[in-house]
Amino acid sequence: MAEEDYGCFVDWTQMGDMAKSSGPSKLDIKDPVELKKLARQGHWAKNHKLRAQVYQQLIKDIPCRTVTPDAEVYRDLMGGDTGKKSSTAIPLPDFVDGSPVPPYCLKADAVTSVHRVISCLAGQFPDISHCPALPAMTALLLHYSANEAQCFEHISRLLACNEPGRRLIDQTFLAYESSCLTFGDLANKYCPAAHKLIVTTAQDVVEVYSGWQRWVLGDLPFSHVTRVLDVFLVEGYKVLYRIALALLKFYRKQKAGAQPLEGQKQDSAEVKAEIQAFVKAIGSSVTPDKLLEKAFSIRLFSRKEITLLQLTNEKSLQQKGITVKQKRRNVQLALNPDTFSSEVVSAKEMRDIWSWIPERFALCEPQLLFTTSTHGCSLNRFYAHVEGNEPTLLLLRTCDSEVCGAFLSTDWEERKRGGNKLSFFGTGECFVFRLKPEMERYEWVVIRHPELASSIKAQNVEDEAPSDGQNLPVERSSADLTNRLSPFLSARHFHLNSRNTSMFMAGNVDSIIVGGGDGNALYIDGELNHGRTSRCTTFDNPPLCSNESFQVALLEVWGFQDAMASDR
């Protein structure tokens, strides 16, 4: 058949309808927008030879470092050794972390070719230390290659991509682990129902999410993963997040009605295996078109914002000394019910709150910084005990036994930048919540309504603040804040059409405030005795208590202690 040039490694008997070529036979479009549209539509999906040619052109166009190994390098190195060794005689390098070579409709002896290509890549890219996705990506591209040397060149270009801000294949444990934390953050924000299911059923959420890349590159059926690769080569790494989030949503739908008993949790390995089995069998219930439709219906932030989150997670891992593969600590161990003690929340309620916080703090354990029962009702003592800690968790119980609070991303010491004026600071990772009478979290309104980030940059206006804190100025963006604030969800990276949508936290000698714009989510007076709550624009929350004016029975502030550091 005509496609044989790009199908010498293919077992056509396994291809089913994909063995029948139809549709267009060539593609001359260069416009990126049109190319993205065609990739999502599967324009070249029904013609094996055209898909191979499109892949070749897309990979050829990837900007790479000057010295990138090509097909000639592979031929020089491997010479006439082709086919002389079995795959068992050419073991995969340790950096693939035990990831097997997916069959992907390849001939049996093509697995040996994958091993050979990866073995050669290991020699040419000595800086690779952790790359579990490499076997799957190599097998996919070998399927559409004319020979091993061509496949080697294609993978080399993916690995050697040097376009600023473009990420294709994770090659270090730090990059891979940060991607797992980032996926957890995205699942928390964009798949709350599915994330809640994982939190409810699995002992270790971080461990479950550590397999997210494997779902896409390894477990997905060939007919589905090729459609993903079509879009990935055009749009990049963000596509993998989208597909994995869509798979999580479909998994949750399939599990609906089969919730475990309260308090009953499965071993994390069992949950991972369940998700893998679901993804492998997804072809019986979800078509490739339906999968992509679900993936691209999720309104993620821009690639820039995702990159900032990845960098933030990498920085957090580096600070914890996690740069090489090591045994992952169970996230539940950070909240030991035998030692955890709070006068506001139970250990179970604290675990629920812990499931909402950014993933990079999953290895931290709660550390009580301030409590009115010990330190008294003094705002000065409040600041003295909480300053120097970032982030913090504020919990309060009212005299009506209602419980609410806030996760605050930024050190309270930042309030001093406003001088004597009450100015807002913080990032969009802040959120407010209530636990009693019912549990509910309210995130930054821009997360739920991205359309509020308009194309018109908001003016940074600092007016004098009214005494009640109802309409405070937002702190000006400043370059010297880059290393002091979490870059992810920092308002200065958005074009906001109203400053009211980025009023996260504020404080002075008279009060502390969380959330602003047409009211405050929380306002607590200088004696830490009386408070108010109302709807605010920043979090679009209802009042967090049944009475908008309340008396504080107890207030606690918790910090995040590195559990791994405390073990060293």
Side-chain angles (χ1 to χ4, degrees):
M1 58 181 67
E3 291 80 6
E4 191 64 28
D5 286 344
Y6 295 100
C8 59
F9 298 103
V10 179
D11 182 350
W12 293 99
T13 62
Q14 299 182 42
M15 291 285 284
D17 291 341
M18 294 182 72
K20 304 171 185 176
S21 288
S22 60
S25 59
K26 64 178 182 178
L27 183 72
D28 297 323
I29 296 172
K30 296 291 185 180
D31 178 57
V33 175
E34 185 66 19
L35 199 60
K36 179 192 293 188
K37 179 181 176 182
L38 294 178
R40 293 187 182 186
Q41 292 174 346
H43 182 75
W44 51 80
K46 294 183 178 180
N47 189 310
H48 190 275
K49 182 177 180 180
L50 177 61
R51 180 179 252 159
Q53 292 171 337
V54 170
Y55 285 179
Q56 188 171 5
Q57 187 58 50
L58 290 174
I59 294 173
K60 182 181 178 182
D61 291 341
I62 294 174
C64 295
R65 48 185 185 245
T66 305
V67 181
T68 298
D70 59 12
E72 287 303 316
V73 170
Y74 185 84
R75 294 188 185 97
D76 290 342
L77 291 171
M78 304 306 284
D81 194 36
T82 304
K84 289 186 178 181
K85 295 181 180 180
S86 67
S87 60
T88 56
I90 311 174
L92 293 174
D94 291 341
F95 63 62
V96 304
D97 196 30
S99 297
V101 176
Y104 289 154
C105 300
L106 293 170
K107 294 176 180 177
D109 58 0
V111 175
T112 300
S113 295
V114 174
H115 280 241
R116 285 166 48 81
V117 170
I118 293 177
S119 175
C120 193
L121 288 167
Q124 294 300 301
F125 292 87
D127 292 337
I128 297 179
S129 59
H130 193 81
C131 194
L134 195 56
M137 191 63 75
T138 304
L140 276 174
L141 291 182
L142 184 72
H143 184 107
Y144 292 97
S145 296
N147 50 63
E148 291 178 13
Q150 186 181 79
C151 176
F152 170 83
E153 180 172 322
H154 288 169
I155 294 291
S156 293
R157 295 192 67 82
L158 294 181
L159 294 171
C161 173
N162 64 354
E163 181 179 341
R166 188 173 185 181
R167 180 173 182 163
L168 293 175
I169 302 179
D170 293 331
Q171 300 172 46
T172 66
F173 182 73
L174 182 62
Y176 176 81
E177 192 74 354
S178 75
S179 79
C180 297
L181 297 183
T182 299
F183 177 77
D185 285 322
L186 297 176
N188 191 353
K189 294 185 184 301
Y190 299 106
C191 308
H195 178 69
K196 184 177 180 181
L197 172 65
I198 302 300
V199 170
T200 304
T201 56
Q203 293 177 346
D204 186 347
V205 179
V206 179
E207 175 65 22
V208 173
Y209 288 155
S210 70
W212 79 274
Q213 283 193 26
R214 173 73 181 273
W215 305 343
V216 182
L217 297 172
D219 295 333
L220 265 183
F222 180 72
S223 57
H224 292 61
V225 75
T226 48
R227 289 293 303 279
V228 174
L229 187 61
D230 292 345
V231 188
F232 169 79
L233 291 176
V234 175
E235 300 187 40
Y237 195 94
K238 186 178 173 183
V239 171
L240 303 183
Y241 284 132
R242 285 189 173 279
I243 297 297
L245 291 172
L247 291 172
L248 194 61
K249 283 177 172 283
F250 281 121
Y251 171 74
R252 182 256 174 186
K253 183 178 180 181
Q254 183 254 352
K255 293 285 288 186
Q259 299 288 352
L261 297 175
E262 180 68 24
Q264 179 180 335
K265 288 182 179 286
Q266 293 177 260
D267 181 78
S268 303
E270 292 179 4
V271 178
K272 284 180 71 174
E274 277 189 11
I275 297 176
Q276 281 190 270
F278 168 76
V279 174
K280 288 178 179 178
I282 200 171
S284 62
S285 58
V286 179
T287 65
D289 282 327
K290 190 174 180 181
L291 176 62
L292 264 66
E293 180 183 355
K294 175 70 76 174
F296 287 103
S297 69
I298 302 171
R299 300 183 66 181
L300 288 182
F301 285 124
S302 67
R303 186 171 75 177
K304 176 184 175 183
E305 277 299 312
I306 300 298
T307 300
L308 287 170
L309 178 54
Q310 289 171 328
L311 292 174
T312 301
N313 283 329
E314 282 193 14
K315 183 177 179 180
S316 177
L317 290 167
Q318 286 175 320
Q319 290 172 342
K320 291 179 171 64
I322 304 175
T323 57
V324 295
K325 184 173 171 59
Q326 53 194 267
K327 182 176 178 59
R328 181 181 282 105
R329 184 188 180 98
N330 189 317
V331 67
Q332 296 297 333
L333 295 180
L335 278 164
N336 187 337
D338 296 329
T339 58
F340 175 76
S341 177
S342 166
E343 297 179 75
V344 179
V345 297
S346 66
K348 181 185 181 302
E349 289 169 331
M350 192 62 132
R351 278 199 295 268
D352 290 334
I353 297 171
W354 234 240
S355 72
W356 290 336
I357 66 175
E359 287 290 307
R360 61 185 180 278
F361 302 113
L363 293 177
C364 295
E365 60 186 17
Q367 178 183 30
L368 185 61
L369 302 175
F370 174 84
T371 171
T372 51
S373 66
T374 300
H375 304 110
C377 296
S378 164
L379 193 51
N380 285 333
R381 284 197 288 273
F382 170 94
Y383 289 134
H385 283 84
V386 303
E387 285 178 2
N389 292 273
E390 180 179 300
T392 53
L393 183 71
L394 184 149
L395 302 173
L396 69 84
R397 175 163 49 84
T398 71
C399 288
D400 295 324
S401 297
E402 294 181 294
V403 175
C404 60
F407 173 81
L408 303 166
S409 65
T410 307
D411 190 340
W412 277 103
E413 194 166 14
E414 284 294 317
R415 78 188 192 285
K416 298 176 181 178
R417 296 179 60 83
N420 294 324
K421 293 186 296 184
L422 201 58
S423 298
F424 275 100
F425 55 96
T427 75
E429 286 189 317
C430 294
F431 60 83
V432 295
F433 58 88
R434 61 184 177 193
L435 297 183
K436 296 175 182 178
E438 66 274 333
M439 180 180 294
E440 194 67 52
R441 171 182 57 159
Y442 303 96
E443 297 182 286
W444 186 25
V445 66
V446 174
I447 292 175
R448 285 170 288 150
H449 301 285
E451 67 273 9
L452 294 177
S454 73
S455 58
I456 303 174
K457 181 169 290 189
Q459 296 296 317
N460 288 317
V461 181
E462 291 192 333
D463 302 321
E464 291 297 324
S467 59
D468 64 356
Q470 291 295 314
N471 190 22
L472 301 184
V474 180
E475 183 179 330
R476 278 194 181 132
S477 299
S478 176
D480 64 356
L481 290 181
T482 302
N483 295 322
R484 303 182 66 182
L485 299 180
S486 164
F488 181 58
L489 297 186
S490 184
R492 67 183 182 277
H493 296 304
F494 290 83
H495 300 308
L496 301 175
N497 55 17
S498 171
R499 63 194 178 117
N500 289 349
T501 59
S502 59
M503 294 178 170
F504 302 114
M505 53 193 289
N508 63 7
V509 295
D510 299 318
S511 64
I512 55 175
I513 294 173
V514 180
D518 301 323
N520 304 125
L522 281 174
Y523 174 95
I524 302 171
D525 69 9
E527 296 180 349
L528 305 183
N529 191 22
H530 292 89
R532 295 195 304 268
T533 177
S534 64
R535 181 196 171 276
C536 76
T537 305
T538 297
F539 299 113
D540 193 23
N541 59 285
L544 301 179
C545 302
S546 54
N547 294 318
E548 294 194 16
S549 293
F550 57 84
Q551 187 169 353
V552 179
L554 193 70
L555 184 147
E556 294 178 345
V557 178
W558 293 80
F560 294 75
Q561 181 180 11
D562 186 353
M564 296 188 66
S566 64
D567 289 342
R568 289 196 286 265

